[in-house]
PDB file of all heavy atoms in Angstrom:
ATOM      1  N   ALA A1390      -1.752 -10.151 -17.838  1.00 96.00           N
ATOM      2  CA  ALA A1390      -0.350 -10.657 -17.930  1.00 96.00           C
ATOM      3  C   ALA A1390       0.530  -9.633 -18.444  1.00 96.00           C
ATOM      4  O   ALA A1390       1.684  -9.362 -17.972  1.00 96.00           O
ATOM      5  CB  ALA A1390      -0.265 -11.924 -18.734  1.00 96.00           C
ATOM      6  N   ASN A1391       0.066  -8.859 -19.421  1.00 95.00           N
ATOM      7  CA  ASN A1391       0.830  -7.776 -20.031  1.00 95.00           C
ATOM      8  C   ASN A1391       1.111  -6.617 -18.987  1.00 95.00           C
ATOM      9  O   ASN A1391       2.237  -6.211 -18.867  1.00 95.00           O
ATOM     10  CB  ASN A1391       0.116  -7.189 -21.242  1.00 95.00           C
ATOM     11  CG  ASN A1391       0.891  -6.160 -22.018  1.00 95.00           C
ATOM     12  OD1 ASN A1391       2.145  -6.188 -21.988  1.00 95.00           O
ATOM     13  ND2 ASN A1391       0.234  -5.172 -22.598  1.00 95.00           N
ATOM     14  N   ALA A1392       0.046  -6.425 -18.224  1.00 95.00           N
ATOM     15  CA  ALA A1392       0.271  -5.378 -17.179  1.00 95.00           C
ATOM     16  C   ALA A1392       1.217  -5.846 -16.057  1.00 95.00           C
ATOM     17  O   ALA A1392       2.027  -5.068 -15.578  1.00 95.00           O
ATOM     18  CB  ALA A1392      -1.102  -4.992 -16.589  1.00 95.00           C
ATOM     19  N   LEU A1393       1.108  -7.136 -15.710  1.00 96.00           N
ATOM     20  CA  LEU A1393       2.018  -7.692 -14.671  1.00 96.00           C
ATOM     21  C   LEU A1393       3.482  -7.686 -15.171  1.00 96.00           C
ATOM     22  O   LEU A1393       4.352  -7.388 -14.400  1.00 96.00           O
ATOM     23  CB  LEU A1393       1.584  -9.093 -14.357  1.00 96.00           C
ATOM     24  CG  LEU A1393       0.288  -9.260 -13.551  1.00 96.00           C
ATOM     25  CD1 LEU A1393      -0.119 -10.691 -13.349  1.00 96.00           C
ATOM     26  CD2 LEU A1393       0.430  -8.599 -12.168  1.00 96.00           C
ATOM     27  N   PHE A1394       3.724  -7.970 -16.411  1.00 95.00           N
ATOM     28  CA  PHE A1394       5.102  -7.966 -16.934  1.00 95.00           C
ATOM     29  C   PHE A1394       5.669  -6.548 -16.883  1.00 95.00           C
ATOM     30  O   PHE A1394       6.833  -6.384 -16.538  1.00 95.00           O
ATOM     31  CB  PHE A1394       5.098  -8.455 -18.347  1.00 95.00           C
ATOM     32  CG  PHE A1394       5.023  -9.879 -18.543  1.00 95.00           C
ATOM     33  CD1 PHE A1394       4.280 -10.481 -19.586  1.00 95.00           C
ATOM     34  CD2 PHE A1394       5.598 -10.745 -17.651  1.00 95.00           C
ATOM     35  CE1 PHE A1394       4.149 -11.868 -19.712  1.00 95.00           C
ATOM     36  CE2 PHE A1394       5.474 -12.139 -17.744  1.00 95.00           C
ATOM     37  CZ  PHE A1394       4.822 -12.660 -18.811  1.00 95.00           C
ATOM     38  N   PHE A1395       4.762  -5.566 -17.119  1.00 94.00           N
ATOM     39  CA  PHE A1395       5.280  -4.121 -16.974  1.00 94.00           C
ATOM     40  C   PHE A1395       5.522  -3.880 -15.508  1.00 94.00           C
ATOM     41  O   PHE A1395       6.594  -3.284 -15.184  1.00 94.00           O
ATOM     42  CB  PHE A1395       4.219  -3.195 -17.422  1.00 94.00           C
ATOM     43  CG  PHE A1395       4.426  -1.739 -17.054  1.00 94.00           C
ATOM     44  CD1 PHE A1395       5.443  -1.008 -17.676  1.00 94.00           C
ATOM     45  CD2 PHE A1395       3.694  -1.173 -16.021  1.00 94.00           C
ATOM     46  CE1 PHE A1395       5.579   0.319 -17.263  1.00 94.00           C
ATOM     47  CE2 PHE A1395       3.918   0.148 -15.668  1.00 94.00           C
ATOM     48  CZ  PHE A1395       4.912   0.845 -16.310  1.00 94.00           C
ATOM     49  N   LEU A1396       4.706  -4.240 -14.563  1.00 94.00           N
ATOM     50  CA  LEU A1396       4.869  -3.892 -13.131  1.00 94.00           C
ATOM     51  C   LEU A1396       6.094  -4.712 -12.593  1.00 94.00           C
ATOM     52  O   LEU A1396       6.717  -4.254 -11.653  1.00 94.00           O
ATOM     53  CB  LEU A1396       3.654  -4.344 -12.360  1.00 94.00           C
ATOM     54  CG  LEU A1396       2.414  -3.528 -12.612  1.00 94.00           C
ATOM     55  CD1 LEU A1396       1.184  -4.054 -11.871  1.00 94.00           C
ATOM     56  CD2 LEU A1396       2.651  -2.053 -12.233  1.00 94.00           C
ATOM     57  N   LEU A1397       6.446  -5.889 -13.156  1.00 95.00           N
ATOM     58  CA  LEU A1397       7.567  -6.657 -12.706  1.00 95.00           C
ATOM     59  C   LEU A1397       8.906  -6.167 -13.378  1.00 95.00           C
ATOM     60  O   LEU A1397       9.890  -6.641 -13.027  1.00 95.00           O
ATOM     61  CB  LEU A1397       7.387  -8.112 -13.050  1.00 95.00           C
ATOM     62  CG  LEU A1397       6.247  -8.844 -12.226  1.00 95.00           C
ATOM     63  CD1 LEU A1397       6.074 -10.198 -12.741  1.00 95.00           C
ATOM     64  CD2 LEU A1397       6.621  -8.882 -10.734  1.00 95.00           C
ATOM     65  N   GLY A1398       8.782  -5.183 -14.223  1.00 92.00           N
ATOM     66  CA  GLY A1398       9.955  -4.624 -14.838  1.00 92.00           C
ATOM     67  C   GLY A1398      10.508  -5.361 -16.003  1.00 92.00           C
ATOM     68  O   GLY A1398      11.686  -5.139 -16.426  1.00 92.00           O
ATOM     69  N   VAL A1399       9.666  -6.324 -16.621  1.00 91.00           N
ATOM     70  CA  VAL A1399      10.185  -7.056 -17.739  1.00 91.00           C
ATOM     71  C   VAL A1399      10.408  -6.144 -18.942  1.00 91.00           C
ATOM     72  O   VAL A1399      11.297  -6.282 -19.681  1.00 91.00           O
ATOM     73  CB  VAL A1399       9.199  -8.197 -18.055  1.00 91.00           C
ATOM     74  CG1 VAL A1399       9.636  -8.935 -19.340  1.00 91.00           C
ATOM     75  CG2 VAL A1399       9.069  -9.116 -16.890  1.00 91.00           C
ATOM     76  N   TYR A1400       9.489  -5.175 -19.113  1.00 88.00           N
ATOM     77  CA  TYR A1400       9.602  -4.200 -20.170  1.00 88.00           C
ATOM     78  C   TYR A1400       8.890  -2.878 -19.710  1.00 88.00           C
ATOM     79  O   TYR A1400       8.173  -2.863 -18.718  1.00 88.00           O
ATOM     80  CB  TYR A1400       9.078  -4.652 -21.531  1.00 88.00           C
ATOM     81  CG  TYR A1400       7.747  -5.430 -21.473  1.00 88.00           C
ATOM     82  CD1 TYR A1400       6.564  -4.774 -21.094  1.00 88.00           C
ATOM     83  CD2 TYR A1400       7.675  -6.783 -21.836  1.00 88.00           C
ATOM     84  CE1 TYR A1400       5.382  -5.458 -21.093  1.00 88.00           C
ATOM     85  CE2 TYR A1400       6.509  -7.440 -21.863  1.00 88.00           C
ATOM     86  CZ  TYR A1400       5.340  -6.776 -21.473  1.00 88.00           C
ATOM     87  OH  TYR A1400       4.137  -7.499 -21.478  1.00 88.00           O
ATOM     88  N   SER A1401       9.134  -1.869 -20.509  1.00 87.00           N
ATOM     89  CA  SER A1401       8.528  -0.495 -20.240  1.00 87.00           C
ATOM     90  C   SER A1401       7.149  -0.361 -20.846  1.00 87.00           C
ATOM     91  O   SER A1401       6.583  -1.366 -21.317  1.00 87.00           O
ATOM     92  CB  SER A1401       9.489   0.593 -20.802  1.00 87.00           C
ATOM     93  OG  SER A1401       9.440   0.542 -22.204  1.00 87.00           O
ATOM     94  N   THR A1402       6.606   0.812 -20.684  1.00 87.00           N
ATOM     95  CA  THR A1402       5.334   1.093 -21.310  1.00 87.00           C
ATOM     96  C   THR A1402       5.368   0.897 -22.835  1.00 87.00           C
ATOM     97  O   THR A1402       4.254   0.566 -23.396  1.00 87.00           O
ATOM     98  CB  THR A1402       4.889   2.476 -21.019  1.00 87.00           C
ATOM     99  OG1 THR A1402       5.964   3.396 -21.393  1.00 87.00           O
ATOM    100  CG2 THR A1402       4.542   2.784 -19.555  1.00 87.00           C
ATOM    101  N   GLU A1403       6.484   1.003 -23.481  1.00 84.00           N
ATOM    102  CA  GLU A1403       6.587   0.723 -24.892  1.00 84.00           C
ATOM    103  C   GLU A1403       6.286  -0.752 -25.180  1.00 84.00           C
ATOM    104  O   GLU A1403       5.627  -1.099 -26.172  1.00 84.00           O
ATOM    105  CB  GLU A1403       7.985   1.054 -25.444  1.00 84.00           C
ATOM    106  CG  GLU A1403       8.282   2.616 -25.441  1.00 84.00           C
ATOM    107  CD  GLU A1403       9.641   2.927 -25.876  1.00 84.00           C
ATOM    108  OE1 GLU A1403      10.540   2.011 -25.782  1.00 84.00           O
ATOM    109  OE2 GLU A1403       9.853   4.081 -26.296  1.00 84.00           O
TER     110      GLU A1403
END
Side-chain angles (χ1 to χ4, degrees):
N1391 187 29
L1393 288 176
F1394 285 142
F1395 167 75
L1396 293 175
L1397 293 173
V1399 177
Y1400 43 65
S1401 68
T1402 49
E1403 292 177 339

